[in-house]
Amino acid sequence: MREFTLAFMGLSLLLLSVPTRTHAKSDALVDCVYPGEQLGNALSDLAAQLGYQFEANPDDDVQLDQTIWVLARNAKPEQAAAWISASSGWHVNIDHAGRRVKIVEAEPETVNAPEVRAFDVSKQVNDFVEYQDRFGERVEQEGAETGGPTSAEQLQLVAEEVLDNGFDMSFSGSAVGRRLIFTAPRRHISQVDEFLALIASTQGGESRDLALDRDHRAHLASIKSDTMNDTAPVSTVLWQLFKDCQSPVFLDRSILDWLSIEDDLSEISPGVYANHREALFALAREQEFAVDGALGAIRLQMLDWEGSGSYRVFEVTKLLEQIEEDYKEMKTDDDLVEGYTGDIQREGGVNIIVRALEQQLENAGHSAMVLSYGSRVVVVGGVELVDTAVEVLKALGWDNAPEPGEDK
Amino acid sequence: MKRTLLSLAALTVLFTFANADSHEGTAVSVRSYGETGTTVLERVASEHELTVRVDDEAGFYGNSALWMVGDHLSLDQALMAISKGLGARVTHNKETAQIELVLSDEPAKGLKTKGYDVSVLAGQFIEYVNDYGQPQYEEGGEEYSASEYLSFLIDELLVSDEGTWPEGSVVGDRLLYTLEARRHDHIRELLALLMSEHGGESGELAKMRELTETLDAARYSGEHSATPISSVLAGIFVAAKVPFVLNADFVEVYGDWHVDYEQATETSALTALHEVLGMVEDDEPAVLGVSEGVLTVSLDPYTTLRTYRVVDVEELLQKLDVAYQRQRTSPGKQDGFARSLKDDGGVDVIIDALYTQLSAEENNSEISSYGSRVVIRGGPDEIDAALGILEEMGWEKPQAK
């Protein structure tokens, strides 16, 4: 009986141990406590947590001693790899089958199985054509209006510009009639899907990354401390700000190439501010970087004019109608000095709004990417930037309140 | 008296605070006769339970000499005046309970975006253009809408103390600005004066008028030999009990200038002030201005001056229109006249005449217009002189209600 019991226990342990190893891909969570860590050390630690090997790339170009900054706990390994990739500028791949963590040179599409997906964009195209017919900017050059991209191609271009972050998010889309076809990893396809849905909506809306960024900021706003510095390295202030933060955080490569976080000094004391969200704003202003949400984490970056999954789509048809009336009312008699005979189409249609947004966001200290597709305006950036854009649009008379019976 | 002023210059800073009703409303009195900016700021800060943060790059300005006297100022007024005196941005950061000294080109904080509906003003402008606008003789010129012309006027008149334009956006008949509250107040004031039936004076012009009248009424005498001009000026302002700041540009050029000024018998403090300011070099003359209730002495002629008057010349235009019609002769005659007020430029007829007559008086006022509203910018005396010329043209001063 005792032998049987021991044998049963041994079998049970064996059975337990097997699933633990084979389920590493889907179940295992890792801690990424790499605030100012060397890339090589971080990847060795990540591999060790998974029970895998870190396979250093023999390519001399990869600097394993370069600094990365990632702080996250209980994260999925793939997320951790994505954050480390963004912070290092190298593509980190977790090879579960080979039980290896490695740096790959190839584009992610060739690493992760790509997906092919066709999107029917008839609704978006119809809305665009309707906008063009009524408000679209008049082209002075004869015949120029026939040589441009189709409405579907325009949509493809806008989607790519909004979502292409210049690093791991690149696309090879095709516009075929009123369909867009993309071949890309699932995460990218999912972002295209979300973008096209928001463009189709008559209410616009926020992307998931932006909504998540909002949650992360709310969490940061709940953290307070009485830490006071005279002056301290930026890395110290970052640690003070995020050490108790439950939301994942990473510094994008763009910021690590710009700042020397160990050597550059900051005068920001978290204790001076009402909460860590406010202190982060102050640090961002002082060191001239931006904060947004990306890859499910808080991202500190300097990617002015780069695309991002963090954006909001605004529907501005009613505002365009109001502006159209304004220009009609500002017409004077013909051929007078200081006279005006223009209209909304001559002034640029939706570009009037885009230009105002760009100018006022710049005045408020933001370097914003603002794009449009028909009567939809897309503002790319983090919570503060998008909220400032809302303030600007409201000052213009834009009203987001849905009319009764309107779809969302 | 000379001894008193010399000791004033050597004296550092006397600093008092009036009754404090609340932290926000605490009145500040600043007396600095050449003390460093940082020293003054630290004293202000300690009395308000604030700390001072001097940005690394702005350290030079913190060590600059500040010449300023002002009593019962609000904290924001005092800091604005100190900004002018140091040539850097000094603000109260309520979030961090700090007084911050940063470079003047640092982005301002606490900006708000506001949209201004200018449809009524645009409508008046269009009415003016239709009635008096000059015919366009050349085709293909760039056209601007009524609201764009208004944004040009705002840019021209409301340049910031740091010399930047408000950078507005024009969307239909709305103007959009992202600025500090104080600068939004300036825009609101200008729009209100343009909308007003009879125009009117800007708040800063009214304040400057009040302060110069105070100076004129005050008596002053003194004997100064090889005395710093800053000290002499401070003595005059203090004697007249007029708040002042010597702007950084003035101090930089003339701070070490020593002058001889003898005024044995009492005279108006304003006369004394003009005599002393008249001693500086002709090619870099000093200009009196006002900022947030404090008289300023600077070398900046008009760029950042917000002392102006809006004059509605609609009735004068009507008179001139009739006058032009009456001068018409039959067509095709030698020495005949067939043009109209529109042909000669509408409101430009008035502005050209104003400039010609003002320049004869060496009056450097600047004149702009928006439809039938003429805006004259300058000091109280210069603006009064311009109004006198307008009256000679047939403009009637609005009756006080």
Side-chain angles (χ1 to χ4, degrees), chain B residues 213-247:
Chain B
E213 281 170 2
T214 306
L215 273 166
D216 200 24
R219 311 307 294 167
Y220 179 78
S221 66
E223 291 178 31
H224 310 279
S225 173
T227 307
I229 193 169
S230 308
S231 176
V232 178
L233 290 170
I236 296 169
F237 284 119
V238 169
K241 295 183 180 163
V242 166
F244 80 95
V245 62
L246 304 186
N247 282 16

Side-chain angles (χ1 to χ4, degrees), chain B residues 16-28:
Chain B
T16 52
F17 288 89
N19 294 335
D21 294 334
S22 68
H23 184 77
E24 279 296 304
T26 304
V28 184

Side-chain angles (χ1 to χ4, degrees), chain A residues 310-377:
Chain A
S310 176
Y311 61 88
R312 177 166 174 171
V313 177
F314 298 92
E315 211 294 314
V316 296
T317 300
K318 284 183 188 166
L319 182 53
L320 287 167
E321 287 169 354
Q322 175 202 309
I323 294 168
E324 184 183 39
E325 281 304 306
D326 292 347
Y327 282 109
K328 275 183 192 164
E329 285 171 12
M330 283 196 288
K331 284 192 177 185
T332 64
D333 297 342
D334 290 343
D335 302 324
L336 292 173
V337 171
E338 296 187 326
Y340 179 77
T341 55
D343 56 26
I344 189 170
Q345 293 182 331
R346 196 180 80 184
E347 297 294 337
V350 75
N351 287 326
I352 301 168
I353 299 171
V354 170
R355 286 194 297 265
L357 272 169
E358 285 174 345
Q359 178 68 64
Q360 298 309 313
L361 286 170
E362 188 185 331
N363 292 356
H366 298 290
S367 298
M369 176 191 269
V370 184
L371 299 165
S372 66
Y373 182 73
S375 63
R376 268 61 160 186
V377 173

Side-chain angles (χ1 to χ4, degrees), chain A residues 231 265 267-269 272-274 278-279 281-282 285-286 288 319 322-327 329-342 346-347 352-353 355-365 388 391-398, chain B residues 53-56 93 95-98 100 106-109 111-116 119 122-123 125-126 128-131 133-137 139 143-149 166-179 342 347 369 371:
Chain A
T231 53
L265 296 176
E267 294 179 354
I268 301 299
S269 290
V272 167
Y273 295 86
E278 300 302 322
F281 288 165
R285 276 196 300 265
E286 182 196 57
E288 299 178 357
L319 182 53
Q322 175 202 309
I323 294 168
E324 184 183 39
E325 281 304 306
D326 292 347
Y327 282 109
E329 285 171 12
M330 283 196 288
K331 284 192 177 185
T332 64
D333 297 342
D334 290 343
D335 302 324
L336 292 173
V337 171
E338 296 187 326
Y340 179 77
T341 55
R346 196 180 80 184
E347 297 294 337
I352 301 168
I353 299 171
R355 286 194 297 265
L357 272 169
E358 285 174 345
Q359 178 68 64
Q360 298 309 313
L361 286 170
E362 188 185 331
N363 292 356
T388 307
E391 198 185 330
V392 173
L393 284 168
K394 283 188 172 169
L396 279 176
W398 173 78
Chain B
R53 185 179 79 80
V54 179
D55 190 83
D56 282 347
N93 185 335
E95 209 174 81
T96 61
Q98 286 177 324
E100 295 178 335
E106 278 282 302
K109 291 173 188 164
L111 303 179
K112 284 276 169 207
T113 302
K114 288 192 187 300
Y116 297 89
S119 52
F125 182 88
I126 292 159
Y128 160 81
V129 171
N130 286 338
D131 289 348
Q134 194 173 19
Q136 182 85 267
Y137 297 117
E139 277 186 18
E143 266 191 13
Y144 300 100
S145 68
S147 46
E148 279 174 309
Y149 279 113
E167 301 279 13
S169 299
V170 181
V171 179
D173 58 14
R174 276 189 190 234
L175 302 186
L176 216 62
Y177 292 94
T178 303
L179 299 166
K342 285 178 91 156
V347 77
S369 68

Side-chain angles (χ1 to χ4, degrees), chain A residues 156-228:
Chain A
Q156 178 203 332
L157 293 171
V158 174
E160 288 175 1
E161 204 166 345
V162 169
L163 298 175
D164 192 331
N165 64 16
F167 175 59
D168 73 335
M169 192 70 81
S170 55
F171 300 90
S172 32
S174 304
V176 182
R178 298 200 298 178
R179 279 175 184 250
L180 296 187
I181 301 167
F182 287 92
T183 304
R186 183 165 300 157
R187 182 163 60 84
H188 301 195
I189 292 287
S190 160
Q191 291 215 333
V192 173
D193 192 11
E194 178 186 39
F195 177 77
L196 294 176
L198 285 170
I199 290 288
S201 162
T202 56
Q203 291 299 311
E206 293 189 346
S207 69
R208 282 190 298 271
D209 273 356
L210 180 60
L212 189 59
D213 188 25
R214 217 174 267 292
D215 293 343
H216 290 323
R217 304 304 177 89
H219 170 57
L220 263 184
S222 70
I223 304 173
K224 296 175 187 175
S225 66
D226 50 12
T227 308
M228 300 295 286

Side-chain angles (χ1 to χ4, degrees), chain A residues 39 61 69 127 131 159 163 168 191 195 235 283 287-288 293 307:
Chain A
L39 172 63
D61 288 346
W69 207 106
D127 288 351
Y131 158 83
L163 298 175
D168 73 335
Q191 291 215 333
F195 177 77
S235 60
L283 183 67
Q287 302 295 329
E288 299 178 357

Side-chain angles (χ1 to χ4, degrees), chain B residues 7 14 53 59 63-64 69 96 104 116-117 152 164 177 244 252 256 261 276 284 302 338 363 390 401:
Chain B
S7 54
L14 293 171
R53 185 179 79 80
N63 292 326
S64 299
V69 169
T96 61
S104 57
Y116 297 89
D117 178 344
F152 299 155
T164 57
Y177 292 94
F244 80 95
E252 188 185 345
D256 293 331
Y261 180 63
V276 174
E284 275 193 294
Y302 288 110
N363 181 328
L390 279 173
K401 286 180 183 171

